[in-house]
Amino acid sequence: MTRQQAIFLIVVNAFVSAVISALVVLLAFSLYAPPPPPVVAVAGTPLPPTPTRRTQPLTYIVKPGDTLSTIAAQFNISTAALMQANGITNPNVLAVGQQLIIPPPDLTPVVSIPATPSTAVASPVPILRITAILRSSSPQTSVGEMVIIQNIGVRINMKGWTLADLRGSIYVFPDVVLDNNSGVRVHTEGGLDTATDLYWGRSAPVWDATDTATLKDRSGVVIDSYTIRK
């Protein structure tokens, strides 16, 4: 064997050894791959904001279709708490337009009291009273004569209501709204209507010494009557 052949064989052996060593290393890494690094949570990450719990009561006006249980569920309170806050004893009687106090959410589970579908919402019943009739001091003029009416029920629009005496004199109310515990004076004389004073526009008195005033709603239902006493 010549010197050149010997050098060639040495180079080939060295190359083959290097290739085999590289293959062994790759195989070892593929069989024993190191585990991935653990995920470390970053300190100081803000948490989602906690909802603020309501601590003050609210007011709610009853709408058509409302029941005590649906209103209670809407505000996340129990029906019992809603009834207690408003002094309600019958959960099936509720009036459209009625104002309810909504207490803060309680800590007890919300328990709904089912309402009878046919009596879930009752029509508002107007409660108005004729509290006095002031007669004119002169039989020739209507100045100073008036009927005083007080609303002790729900808010009501009196447009189309009537006020009449025993002889058939009828006053028809204009578009006037009475809130709870508010009143209106119906003057027999002429004048400019306001929210508290209405004017019939008559020159002569209407009410006799023993007359009776009858108040009716727009459907003709008698709401109240008042008889003058000597």
Side-chain angles (χ1 to χ4, degrees):
M1 176 183 296
T2 64
R3 182 180 178 185
Q4 292 179 345
Q5 290 175 332
I7 294 173
F8 176 76
L9 289 176
I10 292 172
V11 172
V12 170
N13 287 335
F15 177 76
V16 171
S17 298
V19 171
I20 293 174
S21 298
L23 292 175
V24 170
V25 171
L26 290 176
L27 179 62
F29 269 98
S30 64
L31 294 177
Y32 304 100
V39 177
V40 180
V42 179
T45 303
L47 297 175
T50 302
T52 303
R53 184 174 180 268
R54 180 170 59 84
T55 59
Q56 298 296 324
L58 303 173
T59 56
Y60 179 82
I61 304 300
V62 177
K63 300 186 296 294
D66 281 343
T67 65
L68 282 177
S69 58
T70 58
I71 296 172
Q74 178 180 345
F75 292 96
N76 194 31
I77 61 175
S78 66
T79 305
L82 182 60
M83 293 174 63
Q84 182 179 4
N86 293 274
I88 297 174
T89 57
N90 186 349
N92 295 324
V93 177
L94 202 61
V96 174
Q98 180 179 350
Q99 179 173 294
L100 297 179
I101 298 174
I102 308 298
D106 49 22
L107 299 179
T108 58
V110 175
V111 179
S112 298
I113 300 178
T116 305
S118 59
T119 59
V121 177
S123 300
V125 178
I127 306 176
L128 284 79
R129 295 290 179 262
I130 301 174
T131 59
I133 296 179
L134 304 182
R135 298 180 61 222
S136 174
S137 58
S138 171
Q140 285 77 37
T141 177
S142 61
V143 175
E145 188 175 71
M146 69 179 73
V147 179
I148 302 175
I149 300 172
Q150 185 75 17
N151 179 20
I152 58 177
V154 297
R155 188 173 189 262
I156 196 74
N157 189 328
M158 298 185 68
K159 183 178 182 180
W161 288 39
T162 60
L163 180 67
D165 69 352
L166 292 177
R167 297 187 306 276
S169 299
I170 299 177
Y171 171 77
V172 180
F173 285 83
D175 190 355
V176 59
V177 176
L178 285 188
D179 290 315
N180 174 255
N181 290 327
S182 65
V184 64
R185 294 181 289 266
V186 180
H187 300 265
T188 303
E189 62 193 277
L192 183 63
D193 289 345
T194 67
T196 57
D197 292 89
L198 303 174
Y199 294 87
W200 199 331
R202 298 173 63 105
S203 58
V206 172
W207 309 105
D208 293 334
T210 58
D211 211 342
T212 296
T214 302
L215 178 67
K216 297 181 181 181
D217 66 11
R218 63 178 59 90
S219 299
V221 177
V222 175
I223 302 300
D224 194 28
S225 63
Y226 182 96
T227 299
I228 301 173
R229 306 296 181 186
K230 289 185 179 180

